Amino acid sequence: MKKKIYVKTWGCQMNEYDSSMIIGILKKEKNYEVTEIPEKADILILNTCSIREKAQEKVFHQLGRWKNLKKNKPNLIIAVGGCVATQEGQEIKKRAKYVDIIFGTQTLHRLPKMINTSRVLKDTTIDITFPEIEKFDYLPEPCTPNISSFVSIMEGCNKYCSFCIVPYTRGKEVSRPCDDIIFEISVLAQKGVREINLLGQNVNAYKGSTYNGKICTFAELLRIISEIDGIDRIRFTTSNPIEFTDDIINVYRDTPKLVSFLHLPVQSGSDKILKLMKRSHTVSEYKTIINKLLYVRPNIQISSDFIIGFPGETEKDFQDTLKLIHDVKFDMSYSFLYSPRPGTPAADLKDTVKKDTKKKRLYILQNLINQQTVYWNKKLLHSTQSVLVEGVSKKNIMQLCGRTENNRIVHFTGSPNMIGKFINLKITDYYRNTLKGHII
């Protein structure tokens, strides 16, 4: 009888990707199957993220709920993985002795062996080491996927921004071999995937080895992927301005499959705050990249990340951020109140901005971004958009939904045989987050 696994995932797209790997690796063992009901599971797996505030306490609260399940099912195995596990492995063992397995972001492929070991030893098994890119050697064969699929091309980050915990939980930058990535994408294309989203903490730092011992840059990788039959759109997330080089910009000039939408985190519009954040770019350098992109791809739309209320942020610094948002006309953003992450250099800085001030500034920033999002949506009214049809609309089961090149969801009336295909739609109405269209 197959053992049932339940996986709960917190965090970014990389965490989601890792969870899909975990499920695939365990199902490959042929004696595991997934359940959506934790009470029915034989193995509970919590894949964690440490980016958000109080991430550690959130983990312990969840484990406390699972502890009650274990009281009723003593042979239940509880495993904790991801960034919080990497950062707080021994603390988890100390505070939650009922946890059986603690694994890291780079050791999830060892989970089957760790489960077997745990059953024999009846003690907490911990492996939060950094064996570089080893986990990708254990990738399960891609299952029947969605129309769009994520593919991880690298792990880790070498930038050490003062506010960020990622280099400590994901390790240094390590790129997957180019040929492995191309093979995975080719298989996905054969299974019907039309759009690829390349994943990494800093994808534009990619430098993967090739079969002949050379190094493939990110720009070269994008060009190679664009030649794969069946792949019609390429996206990537996320990247760092300091390594957004001219060769990458040139790909936008002559590779139509690379979408006219870019997420490029800036974090602040103040050079003083960027320096405190240990970001290696200035506001002027960031704007130069955007201007170069607009020159080769005039219709490109930009989204970004912003941290509000970083220690030392004055009203002038905040106004500089608003000015940058206005000048670039960002399409959307991920914006957060600053909160210290234990173990990062910024955690030692005096938090000089009052919480009420942070909240007020965040509200103002998000309101400005929302206005600009509506501005971009309005510009699409009456235009013709090529939409990749993803499936049935969640808002109306009598409609379909798809995604434009610039990452907008469009709802329209169509037939099920359109799913997985590109359809030309005329945009007939716009809302804050979605569009409405009809088939041309």
Side-chain angles (χ1 to χ4, degrees), residues 13-14 17-18 20-21 136 139 142 145 148-155 176-189 193 195-201 203 206 218 221 225 228 231 234-238:
Q13 291 163 329
M14 185 65 79
Y17 183 84
D18 284 349
S20 69
M21 278 187 65
F136 289 105
L139 269 178
S148 179
S149 185
F150 290 105
V151 173
S152 182
I153 67 170
M154 65 180 299
E155 282 273 350
R176 286 181 70 190
C178 173
D179 304 301
D180 291 357
I181 295 169
I182 299 308
F183 176 76
E184 181 180 350
I185 294 175
S186 297
V187 172
L188 289 169
V193 169
E195 177 183 272
I196 290 295
N197 196 329
L198 305 176
L199 281 181
Q201 273 72 40
V203 290
Y206 175 83
F218 183 56
L221 180 67
I225 293 170
I228 298 175
I231 300 302
I234 305 169
R235 303 182 187 273
F236 60 83
T237 186
T238 188

Side-chain angles (χ1 to χ4, degrees), residues 221-233:
L221 180 67
L222 289 172
R223 293 185 188 280
I224 294 170
I225 293 170
S226 72
E227 297 296 325
I228 298 175
D229 289 340
I231 300 302
D232 296 300
R233 275 188 187 166

Side-chain angles (χ1 to χ4, degrees), residues 106 130 154-161 164-175 200-205 238-240 242-243 279:
Q106 304 301 327
F130 288 92
M154 65 180 299
E155 282 273 350
C157 184
N158 295 345
K159 302 302 175 284
Y160 290 93
C161 299
C164 186
I165 198 69
V166 166
Y168 309 97
T169 59
R170 290 272 178 183
K172 65 181 182 179
E173 290 171 356
V174 183
S175 298
Q201 273 72 40
N202 184 18
V203 290
N204 51 343
T238 188
S239 50
N240 191 301
I242 195 63
E243 287 174 311
R279 300 285 285 177

Side-chain angles (χ1 to χ4, degrees), residues 348-359:
D348 296 327
L349 297 175
K350 185 178 179 181
D351 197 348
T352 57
V353 188
K354 293 180 180 179
K355 194 163 187 177
D356 286 347
T357 302
K358 290 181 186 180
K359 289 181 177 179

Side-chain angles (χ1 to χ4, degrees), residues 389 391-393 396-402 410-419 423-425 437-440:
V389 184
V392 176
S393 170
N396 183 348
I397 61 172
M398 300 304 292
Q399 290 189 324
L400 299 176
C401 70
V410 187
H411 299 277
F412 66 99
T413 300
S415 57
N417 64 357
M418 294 178 177
I419 295 173
I423 301 292
N424 285 329
L425 297 178
H438 71 73
I439 300 169
I440 296 177

